[in-house]
Structure formats: structure tokens, C-alpha cells
Amino acid sequence: MTPKTTEITADQVTSAAALVELPLSGPDTDEVADLLSSWMPAAAALSARMQRIEALAPITTFTSLSGVQNEEMS
């Protein structure tokens, strides 16, 4: 298994911003990439810690499928 990188690139930020039609300038894109990269090690550590908890359950559970489209259920 190859190790996961925690670095977020400016290209990744640009691609994600384009998906939601968020215009970002070059300097803003770089700042967002730096900020997200600084958060990723802690987020990855939290994710790994949560995966080790056997009885982890979501805070919110959905008891009804009302409003869910058929294609979302499969």
C-alpha cells in the first residue's frame, strides 16, 4: 500500500473551486492549498483514530428514506 500524501496542491484547490463555481485568484488558491495542507495531518490522524473505535456510530441517524431518490439508495 502506498502512503497517502497530506499535501493539497493549488491544482486540486482550483479543480474543487471550479466544481462549485468559486472564482479564486492565484494567491488565494495558494493560500487555501497551504491552509488545507496544514490541516490534513490532524484530519488524517483523527480519521485513523476513529477507524480504530469499534462501536463508533454517527451522531445523527436517519430513520426514514423519505425524500431519497431511488438511485441514491443503491
Side-chain angles (χ1 to χ4, degrees), residues 1-54:
M1 179 179 279
T2 58
K4 294 180 182 178
T5 181
T6 58
E7 182 179 347
I8 304 297
T9 66
D11 287 341
Q12 290 170 319
V13 171
T14 299
S15 295
L19 289 174
V20 294
E21 298 178 3
L22 177 66
L24 289 176
S25 67
D28 287 342
T29 299
D30 292 337
E31 286 187 37
V32 170
D34 289 344
L35 177 65
L36 293 177
S37 292
S38 70
W39 288 351
M40 286 304 294
L46 177 60
S47 177
R49 182 177 170 194
M50 291 176 69
Q51 289 174 19
R52 290 191 301 267
I53 300 172
E54 292 181 21

